[in-house]
Amino acid sequence: MGYFSDIYHGIGTLLTGMRVTGKYFINARKGAITQQYPDNRDTLQMFERFRGEVVMPHDENNEHSCTGCQKCELACPNGSIEIIWDRVIDPETGKKKKAIDQHIYHLGMCTQCGLCVDACPSDAIKWAQNFENSVYDRTQLTRILNKPGSKVRAGVEE
Amino acid sequence: MGTATLEPTSIKKGFKSEEYFINMGPQHPATHGVLRLLLTIDGEIIKKVDPDLGYIHRSIEKMCESNSYQQIVHLTDRLDYLSSHINNEAVCLCVENALELEVPERVKVIRTILGELTRIASHTLWWGVMGMDVGAFSSYFYGFRDREMINDIFEETCGARLTMNYNIPGGLMQDIHPNFVKRVKEFIPHFRSKLPEYDRLLTGNIIFQKRTKGVGVLSKEDAINFGASGPVARASGYSCDVRKYHPYSALDKINFTEALDTTGDSFARYKVRIAEMWESLAIIEQLIDNIPEGDHKVATNAVIKLPKGEFYQKVETARGEFGVYIISTGTKNPYRVKFRSPGLSNLSLLNHIAVGGKIGDLVATMATIDIVVPDIDR
Amino acid sequence: MNSISNMIDWFVSTGVLNMAMIALIYLTVFAVLGLFLVLLERKVAAWFQLRIGPNRVGYLGLFQTIADALKLVSKELTGTVKADKFLYNLAPYFVIVTSLMALAVFPFTRDLQAFDINIGVFFLVAISSIGVIGILLGGWSSNNKFALIGAMRSGVQTISYELSVGISLLTMVILTGSLQLSEIIEVQKSGWLIVQGHIPAIIAFMIYMIAGTAETNRAPFDMVEAESELGAGYHTEYSGMKFAYFFLAEFINMFIIAALATTVFFGGWLSPFGITDSLPWMGLFWFLAKTFVLVFLMMWFRWTFPRLRVDQLLTLEWKYLLPINLVNLVLMAVIVWLNLTIQI
């Protein structure tokens, strides 16, 4: 009799499985978890901590708060940050002061580990939430974060 | 395993007339990545399995030698990418132990919660892929739906979905997001209602049971001899949960039972993982309501220098025992780092337990061993 | 000029032209039907799996598979160097031609039947077993071990399950006393055969659906393709239109299995309780409706169940389906002998 009870039991388990998928089929309209990505671009909101790419915020006077301390460059495991700096004479005090010329960020080498942003003492760099980072030419992945003609905000000290 | 034995011609030398050689991978749906299996087959029956590694070798251990201790952490994301949180935690614990640094209670609790969430995320993915490997496609999407909720929790708190790098030596990179507790509390009842569905769809299914019961049987002795760990070893009755025997972070204060089975076949490994998901939920429930207040990190030097010596820390990832072994000469870089990855030891079993089965059995066995190739091949 | 008009006369007088026209219509209709079935499968799969499914090409993605077909037509035909070129190229035609041939005998509605042969059921069983030769040839000639394993599995599977399909149909033929499909439908005017034959008919239907799913090489019996084991099985080395033939044939076969079940068990184009008897064209609707319900059932199987292992496949056939089927055949014979059928 085990033969027939096996068949009965087997068919029972199969029907149980079909009930699970059947339930989803009936509720297909509201249950769909698909994100229709390029269509929902306008409403798609990334989380505020999402690590897309490193950016350097500038204020309305075209000033940033990077002092050129190079802590981010040291913290980066991949060498994706390069800082070109020089000592310039501060017109007010007349002293020589470290200032960045270019804050170069190689997005192509970045692993989005977040150590540079964590290391920055003056919060000069932060994460942007954009995730559409693909480009046609690899040179476009090398970005200069400080805008041309920008300078360090007064009061931000090393 | 020398490379010479892996050349098809030398494998073919010892062939009986009815045997033939077949290359499974490095591009094959069942190898879950770039693992190459050199199979000796007689009809449908497996005679020998030779895993050939090296297709995704990135020399992470060597890279660690030129990185500082903070920088090592993010490389471990790229080992077993499904338990990246736990890998991160292992490195951080190892460095903290070496520095004799006591992290705040809050950090310990958060680390444990995130670790268990990682385990659930990994197991839900495994469940979906397991279903797909034995031919039930829908389970894949149901598994991913539940994993998606955990990934959202991770993304909101840690800023990334897979390679989190949230742990740093001394604590956490940021404090948890204000929504974290709320989201975890939403997830727990949701997942509690979905887990029985997993059972109805797959566990009870007669075809699934026929496919997995008595397939790839691993004895307890062999599990110990091959250095198996995690659900693979526990399904054979070898009680080896690092969380139980060498508790780390907040795990020493909570009650949970280690999921064990004795049969050691693929179905036992499947059941152990399902039981582990229930246990992980229970652990999270115990901790989520009483996350102590406090700092999210203790200050460390910007340049961490470990004292001279050798340090080892093991943790339980979703796949088994993950060990970090650091030799320090007192400089800012480690002299040598060795990762003991669970995947490699578990994979080494494959030839032992898959021989004699059919090709379908090999696929089911591989699915229940739950290999993640970048973990095997560092 | 004279010879050409003679030839045309000959074509018209012998009915060859008519046949060619009908064949062309069938070919077009069922190529479109095959494409539609592919779309349906993708949509149904998506609804089972919390997805939306194709929705970009055309309204609600209705032209998705047409776009796919165009892509496949325009693709390069690749093959392996050591393939047996002749057999390799021949194999897809075996598969597609047999499945299109089988469609000829179905009575879609009262007068819509291309070929009312008096051994219709036998013809279908015979034709469907030729299709497997194409699969075997394709797997063998493409000089790929995965394809060869797939083809061998296919041979084993089809030969075994042919028996169950045959015997479960034979069980119903006892009831009808005819192999002619139009005759079988006539008999069902006094109740669908699944009602007339009650218990043995229901058992025969279950066995037929299981074996029929196996005949079409669909999950949970997709040993032949078994993508997590063999990559793509017998058609691993096929591309472009040749692959499309295999693919289309699988879906048309699914339609055939469901259509045959509709004809033999569920009264074909007959409406339930004769509610639309006054409208003959409604027969087509009922036929397709019943068929698509069964097609949906097969899709439901596919997206729920895991795949069997090759030895379990044979165990199921030889230890379960075949003995039950034989007993069922005897039971049906006894029921017909004792006149225990239910006539409405």
Side-chain angles (χ1 to χ4, degrees):
Chain A
M1 252 7 240
Y3 180 81
F4 290 105
S5 68
D6 277 357
I7 295 173
Y8 179 76
H9 170 73
I11 291 173
T13 60
L14 295 180
L15 291 179
T16 317
M18 283 173 75
R19 216 164 53 226
V20 174
T21 44
K23 200 185 86 196
Y24 283 115
F25 182 81
I26 291 164
N27 299 323
R29 288 276 156 229
K30 55 187 175 198
I33 49 170
T34 313
Q35 288 206 8
Q36 304 218 39
Y37 161 56
D39 295 346
N40 69 354
R41 248 194 195 135
D42 302 333
T43 53
L44 193 63
Q45 191 66 45
M46 300 306 285
F47 293 110
E48 63 201 65
R49 289 186 185 177
F50 176 75
R51 300 202 282 251
E53 66 168 320
V54 174
V55 291
M56 184 181 284
H58 288 63
D59 62 10
E60 62 276 8
N61 304 325
N62 202 12
E63 286 175 340
H64 55 76
S65 43
C66 178
T67 57
C69 68
Q70 290 178 299
K71 277 183 178 156
C72 51
E73 192 176 352
L74 274 171
C76 182
N78 320 302
S80 49
I81 292 177
E82 280 177 64
I83 293 173
I84 299 174
W85 57 275
D86 200 3
R87 290 199 187 276
V88 289
I89 296 165
D90 196 324
E92 289 168 21
T93 54
K95 280 187 221 156
K96 272 198 170 182
K97 198 182 163 198
K98 200 174 177 180
I100 58 166
D101 180 23
Q102 283 184 328
H103 188 294
I104 303 169
Y105 169 56
H106 301 277
L107 179 59
M109 290 201 276
C110 180
T111 50
Q112 268 89 353
C113 67
L115 289 174
C116 52
V117 176
D118 201 39
C120 184
S122 55
D123 292 333
I125 48 175
K126 70 180 188 68
W127 285 107
Q129 275 73 46
N130 62 323
F131 52 91
E132 292 164 327
N133 287 334
S134 55
V135 290
Y136 283 103
D137 184 359
R138 152 176 96 150
T139 53
Q140 292 169 26
L141 290 172
T142 300
R143 285 155 197 193
I144 297 165
L145 294 187
N146 54 328
K147 289 182 187 164
S150 64
K151 61 180 195 305
V152 65
R153 195 177 295 127
V156 180
E157 288 303 323
E158 198 173 312
Chain B
M1 230 183 289
T3 39
T5 59
L6 292 170
E7 292 305 319
T9 42
S10 66
I11 282 186
K12 283 175 185 167
K13 253 176 211 163
F15 270 19
K16 298 192 183 71
S17 61
E18 68 276 9
E19 289 175 350
Y20 64 101
F21 162 81
I22 196 163
N23 229 341
M24 203 180 199
Q27 303 292 331
H28 190 277
T31 53
H32 298 202
V34 282
L35 174 68
R36 180 180 174 213
L37 298 175
L38 298 102
L39 308 179
T40 306
I41 298 186
D42 173 8
E44 280 259 348
I45 297 164
I46 310 265
K47 292 287 180 190
K48 196 169 168 224
V49 184
D50 279 316
D52 181 15
L53 312 177
Y55 288 91
I56 191 163
H57 188 76
R58 296 145 300 168
S59 68
I60 282 182
E61 287 173 6
K62 191 73 191 167
M63 275 158 79
C64 290
E65 292 170 20
S66 56
N67 276 336
S68 75
Y69 290 101
Q70 288 101 325
Q71 291 169 347
I72 288 175
V73 178
H74 97 289
L75 290 174
T76 56
D77 283 336
R78 275 96 185 152
L79 295 174
D80 176 359
Y81 46 79
L82 294 177
S83 356
S84 51
H85 243 303
I86 313 178
N87 295 348
N88 292 168
E89 191 179 347
V91 178
C92 294
L93 286 171
C94 192
V95 173
E96 283 156 13
N97 287 349
L99 292 172
E100 289 168 358
L101 201 68
E102 185 63 30
V103 294
E105 206 60 25
R106 183 179 175 81
V107 174
K108 289 183 180 176
V109 170
I110 292 170
R111 277 180 179 176
T112 309
I113 294 171
L114 286 172
E116 295 310 310
L117 281 175
T118 311
R119 197 181 313 279
I120 294 175
S122 170
H123 283 349
T124 47
L125 186 138
W126 157 82
W127 181 79
V129 174
M130 164 99 210
M132 211 167 73
D133 274 346
V134 294
F137 286 85
S138 296
S139 67
Y140 186 77
F141 293 91
Y142 302 156
F144 265 70
R145 168 199 56 195
D146 301 332
R147 182 169 176 270
E148 196 63 26
M149 289 185 78
I150 304 180
N151 273 357
D152 279 349
I153 296 172
F154 285 158
E155 196 178 348
E156 192 169 42
T157 289
C158 317
R161 298 162 65 82
L162 209 59
T163 52
M164 269 79 86
N165 192 31
Y166 185 56
N167 289 307
I168 53 169
L172 307 168
M173 197 173 264
Q174 290 158 298
D175 204 354
I176 51 170
H177 194 273
N179 284 345
F180 177 78
V181 175
K182 192 184 100 215
R183 274 183 186 266
V184 173
K185 279 183 178 166
E186 277 169 12
F187 171 74
I188 292 170
H190 166 84
F191 197 55
R192 271 193 193 279
S193 69
K194 293 301 175 198
L195 259 174
E197 202 168 76
Y198 286 20
D199 286 341
R200 288 206 298 278
L201 184 65
L202 221 54
T203 318
N205 192 303
I206 181 125
I207 303 174
F208 181 78
Q209 292 198 1
K210 292 262 181 206
R211 279 296 301 276
T212 48
K213 273 187 179 167
V215 167
V217 181
L218 175 68
S219 68
K220 187 177 175 182
E221 288 70 35
D222 287 334
I224 296 169
N225 287 345
F226 278 95
S229 55
V232 176
R234 286 198 284 279
S236 303
Y238 171 35
S239 169
C240 61
D241 200 328
V242 179
R243 294 176 293 169
K244 206 84 185 160
Y245 293 102
H246 306 278
Y248 52 93
S249 291
L251 282 159
D252 48 349
K253 286 189 287 293
I254 45 174
N255 298 315
F256 71 101
T257 46
E258 187 181 355
L260 275 176
D261 208 300
T262 47
T263 38
D265 56 5
S266 291
F267 192 60
R269 290 191 279 274
Y270 174 89
K271 277 196 299 185
V272 163
R273 287 209 176 84
I274 294 281
E276 272 196 6
M277 286 197 255
W278 285 108
E279 285 307 321
S280 292
L281 276 182
I283 294 174
I284 296 168
E285 270 183 338
Q286 286 178 47
L287 291 172
I288 192 67
D289 278 324
N290 31 35
I291 301 176
E293 294 297 318
D295 284 337
H296 65 276
K297 64 177 170 187
V298 285
T300 51
N301 294 335
V303 178
I304 294 176
K305 285 182 181 170
L306 254 54
K308 204 170 174 180
E310 299 175 10
F311 309 98
Y312 184 70
Q313 173 70 39
K314 56 182 173 182
V315 294
E316 180 82 14
T317 71
R319 264 146 217 86
E321 182 185 323
F322 176 77
V324 178
Y325 180 54
I326 298 177
I327 301 179
S328 165
T329 50
T331 58
K332 69 184 175 67
N333 298 333
Y335 174 74
R336 172 84 170 93
V337 175
K338 160 87 181 126
F339 296 118
R340 186 259 185 234
S341 69
L344 184 67
S345 338
N346 290 353
L347 180 74
S348 67
L349 292 161
L350 192 61
N351 183 45
H352 187 71
I353 60 179
V355 167
K358 308 270 188 307
I359 296 175
D361 290 343
L362 175 73
V363 172
T365 310
M366 269 206 304
T368 49
I369 285 179
D370 192 12
I371 46 174
V372 168
V373 183
D375 181 39
I376 296 163
D377 208 3
R378 296 177 294 278
Chain C
M1 206 57 207
N2 206 16
S3 64
I4 291 174
S5 64
N6 278 349
M7 230 159 106
I8 291 172
D9 283 347
W10 180 79
F11 272 127
V12 174
S13 60
T14 51
V16 172
L17 194 67
N18 277 348
M19 266 159 74
M21 289 293 285
I22 291 167
L24 207 64
I25 292 167
Y26 262 62
L27 209 63
T28 321
V29 168
F30 287 103
V32 173
L33 179 90
L35 291 179
F36 174 68
L37 278 169
V38 176
L39 180 71
L40 185 74
E41 168 106 291
R42 290 181 61 179
K43 276 284 186 189
V44 167
W47 290 332
F48 275 128
Q49 296 171 343
L50 308 160
R51 293 186 288 122
I52 297 171
N55 66 344
R56 293 297 158 105
V57 189
Y59 177 68
L60 293 176
L62 280 175
F63 297 116
Q64 178 67 49
T65 42
I66 295 179
D68 289 347
L70 284 176
K71 181 206 76 176
L72 283 172
V73 171
S74 60
K75 265 176 95 167
E76 184 194 354
L77 294 169
T78 58
T80 45
V81 176
K82 288 183 180 172
D84 187 330
K85 287 285 178 327
F86 176 67
L87 296 179
Y88 178 81
N89 292 328
L90 183 68
Y93 296 100
F94 258 103
V95 177
I96 189 82
V97 166
T98 51
S99 59
L100 285 172
M101 262 165 85
L103 287 164
V105 293
F106 281 110
F108 291 102
T109 182
R110 196 189 305 279
D111 298 316
L112 188 57
Q113 187 176 10
F115 190 38
D116 191 11
I117 188 174
N118 63 353
I119 49 163
V121 174
F122 180 71
F123 175 80
L124 281 171
V125 173
I127 283 291
S128 70
S129 51
I130 297 177
V132 71
I133 295 176
I135 293 178
L136 273 171
L137 282 183
W140 184 80
S141 64
S142 54
N143 192 35
N144 177 318
K145 286 170 190 166
F146 282 117
L148 184 64
I149 295 175
M152 286 300 143
R153 286 179 173 189
S154 150
V156 164
Q157 179 177 340
T158 316
I159 289 164
S160 308
Y161 279 84
E162 209 102 85
L163 278 171
S164 281
V165 171
I167 294 176
S168 57
L169 288 174
L170 198 61
T171 314
M172 303 315 288
V173 168
I174 292 179
L175 206 56
T176 61
S178 169
L179 289 168
Q180 194 168 359
L181 289 174
S182 55
E183 199 80 2
I184 289 176
I185 290 181
E186 278 308 307
V187 172
Q188 301 190 53
K189 290 214 163 130
S190 57
W192 295 356
L193 285 188
I194 200 157
V195 182
Q196 282 193 32
H198 49 91
I199 297 168
I202 290 167
I203 295 173
F205 171 67
M206 284 166 73
I207 292 171
Y208 175 81
M209 279 314 279
I210 294 169
T213 314
E215 274 271 294
T216 51
N217 300 326
R218 288 173 59 83
F221 305 101
D222 59 342
M223 298 298 93
V224 179
E225 291 176 35
E227 63 181 54
S228 61
E229 295 163 27
L230 304 180
Y234 66 97
H235 56 56
T236 306
E237 295 294 348
Y238 282 91
S239 72
M241 207 53 211
K242 286 185 207 155
F243 165 73
Y245 282 159
F246 283 121
F247 195 63
L248 211 58
E250 185 193 320
F251 282 87
I252 294 178
N253 280 336
M254 180 169 72
F255 180 81
I256 290 168
I257 291 290
L260 187 57
T262 306
T263 314
V264 174
F265 294 97
F266 294 101
W269 46 264
L270 295 173
S271 54
F273 311 110
I275 46 174
T276 60
D277 273 359
S278 51
L279 301 165
W281 55 268
M282 278 298 278
L284 186 63
F285 166 76
W286 286 115
F287 183 85
L288 288 178
K290 289 170 191 174
T291 306
F292 276 103
V293 168
L294 293 178
V295 164
F296 172 74
L297 193 65
M298 285 164 86
M299 289 178 178
W300 198 349
F301 290 160
R302 172 162 183 178
W303 299 110
T304 306
F305 299 144
R307 179 187 308 122
L308 277 87
R309 208 170 57 211
V310 67
D311 56 324
Q312 289 161 352
L313 183 90
L314 298 180
T315 309
L316 177 68
E317 164 63 20
W318 296 101
K319 285 192 181 163
Y320 291 90
L321 295 188
L322 190 66
I324 294 172
N325 220 340
L326 288 170
V327 171
N328 196 34
L329 183 69
V330 175
L331 183 67
M332 183 60 108
V334 169
I335 279 176
V336 172
W337 179 43
L338 296 175
N339 231 346
L340 289 176
T341 53
I342 299 170
Q343 303 283 340
I344 301 169

